[in-house]
Amino acid sequence: MSVRVQDLTRTFRKGKGWRPKGDQVTALDGLTLHVPEHEVHGLLGPNGAGKTTLCKILSTILLPTSGTAEVLGHDVVSGAAEIRRHVGIVFGGERGLYGKLTARQTLRYWAALHLLPDARAKERTDALLTRLGLADKADDLVETFSRGMKQRVHLARGLIGDPKLILFDEPTTGMDPVAARDFRELITELRDEGRTILITTHDMDEAEEVCDRVTLIDNGRVLATETPRGLAEMSGLHRWVEAETTLDVTGIPGVVGTETRNGLLRVKTTDDRAARAVLDFLLDNGVRSVHAVPPRLEDVYLDLIGRRGMEV
Amino acid sequence: MRDQLRVLKHGLIASWTMYSAYQTWRLWTFTWLSRLLIQACFYALIGRMLGSQQQVDYLLIGNVVAVMAIDATVVILISVGERQSGTLALMVAAPSTHLTVYLGKGLVNLGSGVAASTTAFLVLPPLFGVRLPWPEAALVPLMILVVGVSCYCYGTCVASFVLGFPSARWLALNVSYLVLMTFCGVNVPTSFWPDWLRAITSVLPMTHGLAAIRAFIAEAPASTVLGQLALEVCVGAGWLAVAAMSFTRMVRRGRRDGSIEFGG
Ligand SMILES: Nc1ncnc2c1ncn2[C@@H]1O[C@H](COP(=O)(O)OP(=O)(O)OP(=O)(O)O)[C@@H](O)[C@H]1O
Ligand SMILES: [Mg+2]
């Protein structure tokens, strides 16, 4: 087991100073989570759900208030030193970089902090720069990089210590679609190399594509842990059928509603049987581009977390 | 140990790179170095106003050594800089010791300070008629280095506290080096202070090192000089030990209260 979190609670006191006196905020509320080795595990949840707090505890920069968290068999409180050798962290945004260093210098610096011998550090630096498509820009100052390129430097930095567990906190913020697709491939490769990956993201398509399992968190509690597929099945949400047609299908039993967008008809049905019936009807009527769409992770997310809008 | 030395080395390389992004030789010479030289001259001129060459000797040597203290304590700002650049969390989460990382990061400034003091030592005495025992005086820069290292340890210790109170960084920097300037025998002999204050100055960096340099220039017996230098080294080591403990404590506190932010 790579990550074993049991009844984890973390509270904060609002306010400033040495001993803040404000209200107590509960960021994690008895959270339990198990992530086996070689798994890509997604942490999903609304703003303020406690995802970052969990990542911080797992990366040993924050202590739990109560409960236990083990990473790679070591307790985050008593075994922090061991954990730090084998965990890599990457968070989104432009901070966490020294603008006046080049990408290569940045990696060499962090390699030293991860206790890599110089020869190995050089090798890994070169390999990571190439792997993340930074080889051409390796000797440019990081401050001259675009946001997505800074993000790649972050990724490379997170991988420099050859971590067994990688914590990604919203790693794709600011990446262009191509970079984001490359990132998804990278995640799969990293898993195939035998690493475990815990990733928080607000991008449901990304989570659906790369995660073996996802955990939905809200208010510091786990709502569900499942494969993206399983979650969809479990949710009992509507199946959709999509077709390029103007035919009217509202009469078919099990059809809940329809909508048309850019000439594409989307039919909402109650279950697989109803979806089947709509498909048959459309195919019988000579419509060719037809397909059934299982509920997407995003639908499940919206259903479980609720359409709360901007409320946090 | 090998690991820690490597961290020190790469911290030094990184900080040298960042330092030289803003600083060039010419800029350093015409702004920073000249500012420090003028500071030393200023005090020497006060000595001249007081009318005795003895005063000039005392003030000039004191200030030549003391001008390095600002640079040696700049490590205080660097520690907070780590929070500002959002790298503190990454540093804490890395397996190397925080103390080593910080030690490496301020070394460039220490070098700048020692270089400035050494230059001052080579250039200013002839201008103010301060006589030095050449060629033995060539050993003084080495003693300046010892004082610098011990001031640096002191600065690192303050830095470890400031890490918990980032808004106090400028105050801490100014107080730290003004304390050295005032109480460590730079402008007035430590014997001027009441006993309790003198006791404090004896655990501050610079006090013993400066005494050693003064004794050396006055051609005092080697045992006096070496004794004072040894004390200076002990004081430095003491501050370093406190710094190490205090860094550990600050990080523990940060982990407890959540002030170590991802990206902040
Ligand atoms: N250092 C802190 N001091 C006080 N409260 C905090 C602190 N860190 C987090 N919190 C609170 O804990 C809760 C969880 O925050 P957290 O950053 O873990 O959420 P998140 O799931 O990462 O949200 P987002 O999707 O916006 O990144 C929030 O209510 C937040 O205000
Ligand atoms: Mg977050």
Side-chain angles (χ1 to χ4, degrees):
Chain A
M1 202 53 79
S2 239
V3 174
R4 188 190 294 274
V5 171
Q6 201 72 44
D7 294 324
L8 192 67
T9 297
R10 171 69 215 201
T11 57
F12 292 103
R13 280 226 171 265
K14 282 188 185 160
K16 288 193 151 191
W18 190 259
R19 298 217 176 285
K21 295 260 187 310
D23 298 343
Q24 185 158 303
V25 186
T26 304
L28 295 176
D29 190 3
L31 184 129
T32 296
L33 175 70
H34 296 219
V35 181
E37 275 165 41
H38 319 316
E39 180 170 283
V40 180
H41 195 100
L43 287 178
L44 312 177
N47 296 132
K51 306 177 296 293
T52 299
T53 306
L54 178 61
C55 287
K56 282 184 180 171
I57 292 179
L58 296 178
S59 61
T60 76
I61 62 165
L62 186 68
L63 292 172
T65 307
S66 69
T68 57
E70 273 178 26
V71 176
L72 307 164
H74 303 282
D75 184 76
V76 290
V77 183
S78 59
E82 267 308 308
I83 294 174
R84 288 172 187 170
R85 289 176 175 272
H86 301 295
V87 173
I89 50 182
V90 178
F91 42 73
E94 304 198 13
R95 296 170 56 70
L97 295 168
Y98 303 106
K100 294 290 180 196
L101 296 187
T102 66
R104 190 189 305 280
Q105 287 164 341
T106 305
L107 294 186
R108 288 303 300 273
Y109 172 74
W110 288 105
L113 266 66
H114 279 89
L115 312 183
L116 258 56
D118 279 341
R120 189 113 182 288
K122 189 174 176 310
E123 217 173 87
R124 262 196 90 66
T125 300
D126 291 341
L128 284 169
L129 286 169
T130 311
R131 184 170 188 177
L132 288 157
L134 287 167
D136 292 344
K137 300 265 187 181
D139 299 306
D140 290 359
L141 292 185
V142 168
E143 67 180 5
T144 65
F145 283 10
S146 69
R147 197 170 165 152
M149 284 172 45
K150 285 182 182 159
Q151 200 50 40
R152 293 189 215 185
V153 179
H154 262 312
L155 283 171
R157 196 221 65 243
L159 296 174
I160 195 85
D162 201 4
K164 290 187 186 150
L165 170 71
I166 313 169
L167 302 170
F168 287 108
D169 193 6
E170 298 184 33
T172 42
T173 22
M175 280 192 194
D176 66 33
V178 176
R181 190 203 57 205
D182 290 349
F183 173 74
R184 293 175 191 189
E185 271 166 26
L186 176 72
I187 294 283
T188 315
E189 282 171 34
L190 292 172
R191 190 213 20 223
D192 294 345
E193 288 168 12
R195 303 177 211 272
T196 310
I197 292 153
L198 194 65
I199 173 171
T200 82
T201 179
H202 290 294
D203 183 338
M204 294 301 137
D205 292 338
E206 180 175 278
E208 190 156 14
E209 193 177 325
V210 303
C211 295
D212 298 315
R213 290 195 306 154
V214 295
T215 292
L216 251 69
I217 302 182
D218 194 18
N219 284 320
R221 276 185 293 259
V222 171
L223 294 183
T225 298
E226 254 300 343
T227 60
R229 210 45 218 260
L231 208 56
E233 316 256 280
M234 223 175 66
S235 70
L237 278 178
H238 309 287
R239 302 292 188 271
W240 291 83
V241 176
E242 291 178 350
E244 278 177 35
T245 179
T246 48
L247 286 171
D248 180 16
V249 294
T250 45
I252 303 170
V255 172
V256 184
T258 61
E259 59 187 50
T260 310
R261 213 184 286 158
N262 300 331
L264 186 72
L265 174 74
R266 299 186 75 224
V267 187
K268 190 179 186 181
T269 65
T270 49
D271 54 26
D272 278 339
R273 276 207 19 223
R276 192 75 250 160
V278 174
L279 278 173
D280 288 346
F281 171 79
L282 290 171
L283 290 168
D284 289 349
N285 284 281
V287 181
R288 263 175 291 123
S289 66
V290 187
H291 52 273
V293 195
R296 292 176 318 147
L297 190 55
E298 184 167 346
D299 302 323
V300 181
Y301 177 90
L302 290 174
D303 185 58
L304 283 175
I305 305 287
R307 295 172 184 272
R308 292 194 302 201
M310 297 299 285
E311 204 180 308
V312 229
Chain B
M1 190 65 198
R2 287 265 284 297
D3 288 341
Q4 301 301 331
L5 283 176
R6 204 180 318 109
V7 172
L8 213 58
K9 178 178 110 185
H10 284 275
L12 179 61
I13 295 175
S15 54
W16 171 253
T17 313
M18 292 188 247
Y19 186 83
S20 43
Y22 296 102
Q23 200 63 285
T24 61
W25 274 113
R26 203 175 296 161
L27 205 59
W28 183 80
T29 310
F30 288 103
T31 57
W32 192 233
L33 177 65
S34 47
R35 176 220 179 281
L36 295 179
L37 291 180
I38 288 166
Q39 181 173 330
C41 292
F42 171 79
Y43 285 99
L45 286 170
I46 292 181
R48 185 153 287 179
M49 267 165 57
L50 295 172
S52 94
Q53 182 61 34
Q54 224 180 337
Q55 292 283 9
V56 176
D57 289 2
Y58 192 88
L59 287 167
L60 185 73
I61 294 300
N63 283 284
V64 155
V65 176
V67 288
M68 133 256 279
I70 308 177
D71 267 324
T73 47
V74 162
V75 65
I76 295 169
L77 297 184
I78 294 176
S79 79
V80 180
E82 220 64 53
R83 256 192 211 283
Q84 287 166 337
S85 56
T87 42
L88 183 64
L90 299 173
M91 232 177 79
V92 173
S96 56
T97 359
H98 323 299
L99 178 71
T100 329
V101 182
Y102 278 122
L103 278 181
K105 298 216 109 174
L107 279 179
V108 174
N109 295 87
L110 173 61
S112 151
V114 171
S117 274
T118 301
T119 312
F121 178 75
L122 297 175
V123 173
L124 299 182
L127 299 181
F128 289 91
V130 175
R131 264 204 290 227
L132 298 173
W134 292 103
E136 293 84 357
L139 288 174
V140 172
L142 280 181
M143 300 185 200
I144 290 178
L145 179 65
V146 172
V147 180
V149 170
S150 122
C151 289
Y152 186 63
C153 294
Y154 159 85
T156 310
C157 185
V158 179
S160 65
F161 284 99
V162 171
L163 193 58
F165 303 93
S167 53
R169 62 189 184 279
W170 283 104
L171 180 70
L173 174 65
N174 285 313
V175 170
S176 303
Y177 95 87
L178 283 176
V179 162
L180 299 187
M181 290 283 293
T182 314
F183 299 111
C184 296
V186 177
N187 297 311
V188 273
T190 49
S191 57
F192 172 82
W193 306 111
D195 284 346
W196 64 269
L197 193 51
R198 236 171 78 198
I200 295 177
T201 63
S202 69
V203 295
L204 285 176
M206 179 134 10
T207 308
H208 300 290
L210 186 52
I213 292 172
R214 290 195 196 283
F216 184 76
I217 290 172
E219 294 176 272
S223 60
T224 316
V225 177
L226 289 176
Q228 289 291 342
L229 275 181
L231 282 174
E232 183 73 26
V233 170
C234 292
V235 167
W239 283 101
L240 189 61
V242 181
M245 284 187 292
S246 157
F247 264 118
T248 312
R249 205 176 130 264
M250 281 299 154
V251 168
R252 206 184 305 136
R253 177 187 162 233
R255 289 178 72 198
R256 210 169 34 233
D257 70 11
S259 58
I260 305 173
E261 288 292 334
F262 273 179

